[in-house]
Amino acid sequence: MKVVAFKRELQGSGASRRLRISGQTPGIVYGGTEAPMNISLDHNALYHALKKEVFHSSILDLEIDGVSQQVLLRDFQTHAFKQLVLHADFQRIDANTKIHMKVALHFANADVSPAVKLHGATISHVANEIEVSCLPKDLPEFITVDLSNIDVGHSLHIGEIAMPAGVTAVTHGSNLTIATASVPAGHVSAEAAVAAPAAPAADAKPAAKAKK
């Protein structure tokens, strides 16, 4: 994705406030062998880009005054209640250096899992993103989590997720739980319903006495 920015000379809260009033968002790009650079971006373009999942987990082509460089979005700040992006941080990347990045999880095949098909279970997503390590060229937009084999009472852990080629999960020594399956209280599974004996019929009411 391409992001257009401009070098920003003026700094300070007053200059940033004037930028926002004019429809711009202040930002910074840092990292690599170059010095950090203050930049400004079109607010509306940035605001709509931030709504896209791919913008948060992709290598971006940041064009500053006609010169492009590859960056990652590292942070951004928004107003507490206004639809306003206050600041954005971008990090330069090196094609030959691995990066650490949080990537969204997309869950698939829950409806065909034993937990759902046989037991009517609910599958809870414990984590919606994980941190990965990879070269910039291998960074995935998202990682698919296959839930087709999860059963009631079982959990799916990060170590069981199939990672894309060249991508490694950063676990910090913990096999993080990604999803769990459990049957809601009072719910009867399909197997239990078949196995359960039929309820006895209610006793017939005694016949009414004949009138004399």
Side-chain angles (χ1 to χ4, degrees):
M1 295 184 67
K2 183 178 180 180
V3 182
V4 177
F6 303 92
K7 188 175 181 181
R8 175 166 56 97
E9 301 293 348
L10 298 177
Q11 301 181 43
S13 57
S16 295
R17 184 168 56 253
R18 288 191 293 274
L19 264 180
R20 296 183 187 110
I21 292 173
S22 68
Q24 300 287 305
T25 298
I28 188 171
V29 57
Y30 59 88
T33 57
E34 300 179 47
M37 179 186 295
N38 293 304
I39 59 175
S40 63
L41 309 98
D42 179 79
H43 175 270
N44 288 343
L46 178 62
Y47 177 81
H48 290 293
L50 286 169
K51 292 183 177 181
K52 301 175 182 178
E53 182 179 81
V54 65
F55 190 74
H56 297 260
S57 58
S58 293
I59 306 300
L60 307 173
D61 290 317
L62 180 65
E63 181 183 298
I64 304 175
D65 296 335
V67 179
S68 291
Q69 53 190 300
Q70 290 193 315
V71 301
L72 291 170
L73 174 68
R74 279 304 189 187
D75 196 14
F76 65 96
Q77 293 83 45
T78 57
H79 194 278
F81 55 88
K82 295 181 181 179
Q83 294 183 339
L84 184 65
V85 184
L86 300 176
H87 197 274
D89 297 2
F90 299 89
Q91 181 185 2
R92 301 183 186 99
I93 62 168
D94 177 356
N96 299 312
T97 302
K98 286 190 174 183
I99 55 176
H100 281 205
M101 195 74 180
K102 288 186 176 180
V103 176
L105 299 176
H106 286 192
F107 295 87
N109 302 322
D111 56 332
V112 300
S113 69
V116 174
K117 285 189 69 176
L118 300 180
H119 306 288
T122 297
I123 297 180
S124 301
H125 302 165
V126 180
N128 291 309
E129 63 181 14
I130 59 173
E131 185 178 356
V132 302
S133 173
C134 63
L135 290 174
K137 68 179 182 63
D138 296 324
L139 181 64
E141 179 182 336
F142 59 85
I143 293 174
T144 299
V145 179
D146 184 7
L147 297 172
S148 60
N149 294 318
I150 194 169
D151 207 343
V152 170
H154 295 175
S155 298
L156 187 68
H157 297 87
I158 194 170
E160 302 170 78
I161 298 177
M163 292 289 166
V167 179
T168 304
V170 179
T171 62
H172 303 290
S174 174
N175 197 13
L176 178 69
T177 299
I178 300 299
T180 61
S182 58
V183 177
H187 185 85
V188 179
S189 70
E191 289 180 341
V194 171
D203 292 339
K205 293 182 180 179
K209 294 183 178 179
K211 291 183 180 180
K212 293 183 178 179

